[in-house]
Amino acid sequence: AVRRFFARSRSALEWTADLLRDLNAKLEAARGPHARLGHGLLMDAGLDLPRLEGIWRREVLPLVRSLGLDAKEYEIAALKKS
């Protein structure tokens, strides 16, 4: 759903679909399927890189920490490398 959304509205951000997939794969491996994040978090027609980084910093990483995981492994740059 995320890839189709960005393909239509912001094709330069289609890679965020992979980012969310990789994040969820790591979360599921670490804490089970209940730890996965929904796609609605990123489906914003006005999303750009600074806004994505803000969402990640304010919403994704605090959730990762609340699960007892090392947030550094879940930062955007770390996920893009894996």
Side-chain angles (χ1 to χ4, degrees):
V2 175
R3 186 172 309 283
R4 284 190 307 272
F5 175 79
F6 284 116
R8 286 191 297 260
S9 65
R10 311 225 2 131
S11 61
L13 290 174
E14 272 188 76
W15 61 270
T16 60
D18 298 328
L19 184 70
L20 183 62
R21 182 198 64 223
D22 295 346
L23 168 71
N24 279 329
K26 283 186 69 124
L27 289 173
E28 185 171 351
R31 294 292 185 258
H34 64 281
R36 294 171 54 97
L37 296 180
H39 61 277
L41 187 65
L42 301 179
M43 294 184 72
D44 176 353
L47 191 71
D48 58 12
L49 189 55
R51 194 166 180 163
L52 172 65
E53 290 170 343
I55 290 169
W56 217 262
R57 200 173 40 257
R58 288 185 305 277
E59 301 200 31
V60 174
L61 296 179
L63 178 96
V64 166
R65 284 185 207 98
S66 76
L67 293 170
L69 300 169
D70 181 4
K72 288 183 182 191
E73 294 178 31
Y74 294 85
E75 290 177 357
I76 292 172
L79 291 170
K80 285 175 79 174
K81 287 180 185 177
S82 58

